[in-house]
Amino acid sequence: MMRPVKTYYPILPVIISYGVLFGIGIMVPGKWQLVSQLAFYCALGQAFNLFMGMTGYVDFGYVAFMGVGTYGMAVSIYYLYDKGLGLGLIVIGLILAAVFSTLLSLAVGAVALRLRGAYFAIATIGVNEGFRFLIEGARIWNGADGMIFYRHLKTAFGKQTAMALSTMWADVMVFGVAVLAAVLTLIYMRNKVGYALTALREDEDAAKVMGINVTKYKLTAFITSAILAGLLGASAWALKLTYVYPEDVFEIHYTVEAIIIVLLGGAGTLLGPLVGGLIYGVSKYYLSIVLPGFQLLIFAPIIIAIIVLFPEGTVGIFKKRIFGTPLEKYII
Amino acid sequence: MSLLKVENVTKRFGGLVAVDDMSFEIGHGELMAIVGPNGAGKTTMFNLINGVFPADEGRIIFEDVDVTNYPAYKRAHLGIGRTFQIARPFASATVQENIAIGGMFGAAGSEINVDEAMELADHYIDLIGLKPHRDKPAGGLTPIEKKLVEIARALAMKPRLLLMDEAMAGMNPKDIDEMVAFIREIRDTEGIAIVALVEHIMRAVAGLTERVIVMHQGALLVDEPTQVALTDPRVIEVYLGRPPEETHAEG
Amino acid sequence: MILEQLSGNLVHGLVLGAVYGMATMGLSLIFGVLQVVNVGHGAFIMVGAYTSLMMFKAMGLPPVVAIPVAMFIGMALGMLFYYGAVKPLVSPSGSGIRKPGMKGFGIAAGSFVALMVIMRPVSLVFHLHFAISLFVGIIFLYGFLLYIYGGRRQEKAPELTTLLVTFSLGVILEEVVKQIFTSEARGFNWDIGKLDLGITVLPYTKIVASLGSLGIAVLLYLWFRKTRAGMAMRSVVEDDVGARVCGVNVDWQFALSFSLGIGLTVTSGVLLTMFIPVGINPYMGGPYTLKAFVIAVLGGLASPYGAFFGGVVFGLVENGSYTLFANIPGLEPFAMTRFFSFVMLLVILLVRPTGLLRAK
């Protein structure tokens, strides 16, 4: 007998939500900027949740994967713009972003994933800083001067297309990353990977004794999450802004935002990062107008309050409420 | 051919020798106990057998495979199952998922997909009689129910050797008798060797096992059939102290 | 030439290393007793730096005078944060408080609405956004009130949560300081002369900072070894259950160690400004967090003295590697040194994880 909960239905609310969000952005004039920002937060949450939510490990250096992903796209456009590759340039950029973030996640994972809890956090907290200073210190890819490549993009695609790429298609790609992250999360949840991750999140020693190769599954989640971050950086930062500075793309505040989003929505749930991303994005937007400069000051205590009082997050609480109702099979 | 062979295994923690030159064998389908007072090194011995940490010296051979340097998960794949002293089911996962995880990753794991593991879990849920709790998170169960879930989870791994750490600690005599009957039943139906680890409850040891290994200060003291072992003067001395001037062992 | 440079830099490294060591002792103390890694460590150093800056600028008092003040501020902050945020997660006896029910929720909602009315949203367009942030705000205030009026009893929380909480505490401090002092980098100049050692010139301020660090480390050592209170705290590090059985009030020891650890960290911020009296800004703590982790891991994480010696080693290595990088053309020595400390952390964690984990 198949249990209804083991289906792929829960992807529906996610797809519908992104569809509606996208629709609002297209239909309502002047809202695209806000909508794309919200999509960015949702994608960030979805990607981060795939590792933090599923394994219970906090990667404080997570933004480093977005940073190297940004550089992947930047390097492709900056150095290959005159090779006549057409849209291949963007494809290569995305591939490079994935490759860079995979390599970095392998390097970091090789050290950090052997370690537990606090030691893992200690090992990861310097990754973004470390990488930033490697780029600046060894003057890789122009070092601290960064790369500015709108001109290159224009030469490669012409003014109109370059404009469309950075103002429209970059944001569409962010939506793509968000959906991809959600789909991957659900696929993981429905397969052995997901059960292995649940087990090791709850009790790593017991998981080992159950025959679970914890390192393998942790690494799987870590690399997947890193690649998604790389793609997000490549689209939301490199392609959209058409410049990259090491001090911007390795900024730890993006890790903080990812943590807030995941916790707000509910760590380890599928819908959580989406809900968290929307709540965070909208409140931040609102606060930036009402109380500019106070956003982090307001959100940091919220993290603490959630951890102490509502560790399940919004979706986690909602899930409990709908247990046993027909809604149950759509929300995880 | 024996199922498990432990050869001269030693484990030290800093200056403390937790397991000291232990050697013994366990046969297929055998039902036995490792007993000993608190601090005798029983749990350490278990951890060495299923690979929570490696032995400093000696070899551990399981079904003719030298597993001394195998990590815990590989030993689980070969067929060594384990329950913990304080039951540790995965709290956020449901009872069914908990048991299914055992099936998915245990000895039969490579041939079982998620759906099959869920069906297998249902079978064991019936066996332990927790059907009403199937879809509840395991974290909310009573300690005895958690223990049962853990046993079912270990059984779903399809082990050939099951190590049960203090399966009956904290139970009243009635529960102990039920548990003894239950463990005997599993041994007979599943045909697996079971090693129970017991600190105090001699009632359980006598009723349950055919053979007993008594550990004392990390070393093997007695390895005899149950009735012989329990009347051995050395065993009595370990548990009760030397009469008359010395005091009895600590509770 | 390079040797001369190196020996000069090593002297600076040794002197700075003592300060680094002292700046890490608080981290190790808190980890040793509470098993909590203070991820917001650097922010507390920043608070110390501002204490020193303000006392110098506003009252003309030298940083030496700021040391006891910083210790006091730090211990007070430590107590506040311990009871405000850390205790429900680590306390062996749980928070043991009651749930406030709808009354607390009402108070929270009411006070937030009041707050928002005062702030007055810019226009009607924001009503939807207002509603959502209202919701978020209510969660926040509800949580805050639960602390004051009671909350549910908690099991000891997993490590993850303590990391996130200490991290958030750091962010809160940074943001508060930013609101007060803006994010502009500040500095001051306390000049009491220089000592010429031949190979290099050392300002007396650095020597004072270094000796001060050593003095505090020695005091802490004596306090741990010779006083009842210190021994009680040590007993908790060894075995908190055992300590409780022996009549030590573990809850209070947790509070005290957290407070003392934060106090030491804030004080170290003052000492660091004697070394580098410029670049004081709300986000200056980040690099120090990373350095403190390297040092703490070097010294075995749970041992304050280990941390002190780790700091000295780190100071020497950092300045030594700076000299090296400065002599390789095409490299930015400052950035490379910081990259190097990150690599060092990974390497130590890679080659000695067992040794580190043994330190518990």
Side-chain angles (χ1 to χ4, degrees):
Chain A
M1 186 189 68
M2 282 281 289
R3 289 193 63 212
V5 183
K6 303 304 165 216
T7 63
Y8 284 87
Y9 293 145
I11 202 66
L12 286 176
V14 176
I15 301 282
I16 292 169
S17 307
Y18 283 123
V20 169
L21 190 62
F22 190 76
I24 292 173
I26 300 276
M27 313 282 197
V28 185
K31 283 283 174 239
W32 182 248
Q33 209 47 44
L34 175 63
V35 162
S36 63
Q37 194 62 27
L38 292 178
F40 171 76
Y41 286 129
C42 294
L44 179 62
Q46 296 278 16
F48 190 61
N49 182 50
L50 192 54
F51 180 68
M52 176 187 141
M54 306 271 280
T55 65
Y57 280 79
V58 195
D59 178 359
F60 285 102
Y62 191 67
V63 67
F65 299 128
M66 297 174 73
V68 292
T70 313
Y71 268 99
M73 179 63 81
V75 164
S76 166
I77 297 172
Y78 194 84
Y79 292 108
L80 303 175
Y81 73 101
D82 54 356
K83 299 284 190 290
L85 293 166
L87 280 175
L89 201 57
I90 306 298
V91 176
I92 291 175
L94 290 175
I95 292 171
L96 276 183
V99 170
F100 286 177
S101 43
T102 308
L103 290 178
L104 183 61
S105 64
L106 281 173
V108 175
V111 178
L113 289 175
R114 295 157 181 249
L115 309 165
R116 292 278 189 91
Y119 287 89
F120 177 84
I122 291 176
T124 56
I125 201 163
V127 174
N128 53 326
E129 285 262 307
F131 226 76
R132 172 189 159 188
F133 287 114
L134 176 63
I135 287 175
E136 290 185 5
R139 298 210 179 99
I140 300 166
W141 300 320
N142 294 351
D145 298 333
M147 292 158 95
I148 302 160
F149 47 85
Y150 187 64
R151 186 174 59 77
H152 305 70
L153 201 64
K154 226 163 54 181
T155 318
F157 292 103
K159 194 173 176 190
Q160 214 108 55
T161 318
M163 192 70 152
L165 273 174
S166 73
T167 54
M168 171 83 192
W169 291 106
D171 295 328
V172 175
M173 279 159 65
V174 171
F175 270 99
V177 174
V179 172
L180 179 65
V183 170
L184 282 175
T185 308
L186 188 60
I187 291 176
Y188 277 11
M189 283 176 168
R190 288 291 175 256
N191 284 285
K192 284 189 181 181
V193 191
Y195 290 97
L197 294 175
T198 306
L200 76 90
R201 183 182 64 206
E202 297 290 336
D203 188 334
E204 201 162 327
D205 287 319
K208 282 182 189 163
V209 170
M210 294 284 92
I212 298 171
N213 183 352
V214 291
T215 315
K216 180 177 112 184
Y217 290 110
K218 273 193 281 185
L219 197 62
T220 309
F222 195 58
I223 293 176
T224 315
S225 178
I227 292 176
L228 289 167
L231 296 177
L232 185 59
S235 35
W237 288 347
L239 197 55
K240 184 167 182 173
L241 304 174
T242 65
Y243 58 75
V244 49
Y245 293 106
E247 58 177 298
D248 290 347
V249 297
F250 293 107
E251 173 59 63
I252 195 168
H253 282 167
Y254 292 102
T255 309
V256 186
E257 290 190 313
I259 295 172
I260 297 172
I261 291 165
V262 168
L263 288 176
L264 262 177
T269 63
L270 177 66
L271 204 55
L274 171 61
V275 174
L278 291 177
I279 296 177
Y280 178 74
V282 173
S283 347
K284 189 182 168 186
Y285 176 69
Y286 174 75
L287 286 172
S288 69
I289 294 162
V290 183
L291 291 170
F294 276 91
Q295 294 99 320
L296 271 178
L297 184 54
I298 289 169
F299 280 109
I302 291 178
I303 303 187
I304 299 178
I306 297 173
I307 290 167
V308 178
L309 301 162
F310 310 104
E312 315 95 333
T314 316
V315 172
I317 292 170
F318 188 60
K319 233 168 75 181
K320 266 193 205 156
R321 283 282 158 95
I322 59 161
F323 184 76
T325 68
L327 264 182
E328 184 191 13
K329 62 181 171 186
Y330 295 101
I331 310 286
I332 53 168
Chain B
M1 186 195 81
S2 58
L3 179 64
L4 179 83
K5 228 189 236 172
V6 173
E7 292 179 355
N8 307 98
V9 165
T10 298
K11 179 73 188 175
R12 295 182 199 87
F13 294 109
L16 176 82
V17 185
V19 168
D20 187 6
D21 199 28
M22 283 284 285
S23 298
F24 59 91
E25 292 185 15
I26 296 168
H28 287 276
E30 201 175 352
L31 189 46
M32 61 171 293
I34 298 180
V35 303
N38 189 14
K42 304 181 301 286
T43 298
T44 308
M45 194 62 241
F46 262 25
N47 286 337
L48 291 171
I49 295 175
N50 81 338
V52 172
F53 36 65
D56 293 333
E57 281 164 36
R59 296 199 306 161
I60 294 169
I61 292 154
F62 183 74
E63 294 203 310
D64 289 337
V65 182
D66 186 343
V67 298
T68 314
N69 295 317
Y70 276 32
Y73 74 90
K74 275 196 184 168
R75 300 191 198 195
H77 293 169
L78 288 178
I80 302 181
R82 161 89 187 258
T83 66
F84 291 94
Q85 185 167 357
I86 296 160
R88 291 155 76 168
F90 306 120
S92 74
T94 66
V95 169
Q96 189 195 27
E97 285 169 343
N98 258 285
I99 299 169
I101 285 171
M104 261 181 254
F105 299 99
S110 50
E111 299 132 34
I112 288 185
N113 67 30
V114 173
D115 292 329
E116 287 161 354
M118 292 295 169
E119 273 172 42
L120 186 70
D122 283 338
H123 167 73
Y124 285 105
I125 290 172
D126 288 341
L127 189 71
I128 57 171
L130 284 185
K131 198 151 190 190
H133 299 298
R134 190 181 80 158
D135 296 327
K136 288 184 188 157
L141 301 175
T142 66
I144 289 184
E145 286 166 348
K146 282 184 184 169
K147 203 127 220 175
L148 287 170
V149 169
E150 207 181 57
I151 293 172
R153 188 177 67 180
L155 289 175
M157 291 168 66
K158 297 281 175 201
R160 271 178 289 281
L161 171 66
L162 177 59
L163 308 168
M164 299 176 85
D165 195 341
E166 296 284 1
M168 282 154 282
M171 288 187 181
N172 62 39
K174 184 174 156 285
D175 289 336
I176 291 174
D177 289 343
E178 278 177 25
M179 186 60 104
V180 165
F182 178 60
I183 294 173
R184 279 195 160 273
E185 188 194 322
I186 329 175
R187 196 277 299 261
D188 295 339
T189 53
E190 311 270 324
I192 54 183
I194 296 179
V195 182
L197 194 157
V198 183
E199 188 172 311
H200 284 300
I201 310 158
M202 287 307 140
R203 179 193 185 91
V205 176
L208 180 65
T209 61
E210 291 141 6
R211 195 179 122 215
V212 169
I213 285 177
V214 183
M215 284 183 77
H216 181 50
Q217 295 178 346
L220 189 132
L221 185 71
V222 166
D223 180 355
E224 299 279 1
T226 306
Q227 290 317 317
V228 182
L230 292 185
T231 49
D232 190 301
R234 288 172 295 174
V235 177
I236 294 166
E237 189 188 312
V238 163
Y239 271 93
L240 297 176
R242 187 194 304 272
E245 60 279 330
E246 283 183 31
T247 51
H248 62 83
E250 288 166 55
Chain C
M1 173 59 197
I2 181 165
L3 269 183
E4 214 169 274
Q5 227 180 351
L6 185 67
S7 52
N9 276 342
L10 286 181
V11 171
H12 278 271
L14 183 71
V15 177
L16 176 60
V19 183
Y20 278 162
M22 199 258 141
T24 311
M25 291 175 87
L27 183 78
S28 295
L29 178 65
I30 292 173
F31 183 78
V33 178
L34 289 89
Q35 303 283 303
V36 166
V37 172
N38 179 11
V39 188
H41 185 75
F44 294 98
I45 293 182
M46 176 272 297
V47 171
Y50 271 93
T51 311
S52 173
L53 174 79
M54 280 301 116
M55 291 195 59
F56 191 86
K57 288 270 190 192
M59 294 176 245
L61 295 169
V64 183
V65 187
I67 291 176
V69 178
M71 192 71 199
F72 177 77
I73 292 177
M75 290 194 72
L77 263 182
M79 280 292 171
L80 178 72
F81 283 174
Y82 179 77
Y83 284 105
V86 180
K87 183 172 182 237
L89 304 176
V90 299
S91 173
S93 57
S95 57
I97 32 184
R98 286 161 294 107
K99 220 168 178 152
M102 286 314 286
K103 200 159 74 179
F105 193 77
I107 299 170
S111 49
F112 190 78
V113 169
L115 187 74
M116 279 297 139
V117 168
I118 298 164
M119 296 294 178
R120 233 176 284 133
V122 200
S123 82
L124 291 176
V125 184
F126 292 106
H127 271 178
L128 173 68
H129 310 149
F130 177 76
I132 291 171
S133 58
L134 184 73
F135 169 70
V136 174
I138 287 171
I139 293 183
F140 162 46
L141 277 170
Y142 184 50
F144 189 71
L145 285 168
L146 277 189
Y147 276 126
I148 301 167
Y149 297 116
R152 68 181 158 212
R153 207 180 159 79
Q154 296 239 346
E155 302 260 317
K156 202 172 161 167
E159 231 164 12
L160 162 77
T161 59
T162 60
L163 294 171
L164 291 171
V165 165
T166 53
F167 185 70
S168 310
L169 291 176
V171 174
I172 292 173
L173 275 183
E174 287 174 354
E175 295 305 311
V176 168
V177 170
K178 191 186 94 181
Q179 295 305 327
I180 301 172
F181 297 103
T182 77
S183 52
E184 177 199 346
R186 292 150 190 266
F188 62 91
N189 186 13
W190 182 45
D191 193 352
I192 49 170
K194 287 181 172 62
L195 177 69
D196 196 337
L197 289 173
I199 45 172
T200 187
V201 178
L202 266 182
Y204 280 117
T205 53
K206 295 193 179 186
I207 298 172
V208 171
S210 191
L211 290 178
S213 301
L214 188 64
I216 291 170
V218 169
L219 276 179
L220 192 71
Y221 180 82
L222 291 176
W223 185 76
F224 267 128
R225 297 281 149 183
K226 304 285 178 203
T227 68
R228 267 180 68 88
M231 282 190 222
M233 198 175 285
R234 256 172 56 215
S235 73
V236 180
V237 178
E238 295 296 328
D239 178 356
D240 62 339
V241 178
R244 191 149 356 119
V245 172
C246 295
V248 174
N249 181 348
V250 175
D251 276 333
W252 173 242
Q253 290 303 325
F254 271 29
L256 198 62
S257 325
F258 193 80
S259 164
L260 183 62
I262 299 296
L264 287 168
T265 309
V266 173
T267 310
S268 74
V270 176
L271 295 164
L272 276 164
T273 58
M274 293 191 208
F275 230 94
I276 311 156
V278 292
I280 298 168
N281 71 77
Y283 304 112
M284 65 180 276
Y288 290 113
T289 306
L290 184 57
K291 284 178 191 180
F293 283 167
V294 185
I295 293 164
V297 169
L298 261 174
L301 203 50
S303 152
Y305 324 120
F308 188 80
F309 292 114
V312 174
V313 171
F314 183 80
L316 290 172
V317 172
E318 192 186 54
N319 278 267
S321 62
Y322 182 89
T323 319
L324 187 71
F325 291 130
N327 283 284
I328 299 173
L331 292 185
E332 291 282 350
F334 175 71
M336 281 313 279
T337 308
R338 293 191 45 186
F339 172 66
F340 184 69
S341 67
F342 158 69
V343 173
M344 217 165 113
L345 176 67
L346 287 194
V347 170
I348 303 165
L349 285 173
L350 188 65
V351 297
R352 280 206 55 204
T354 49
L356 298 167
L357 294 171
R358 197 173 346 113
K360 203 181 163 192

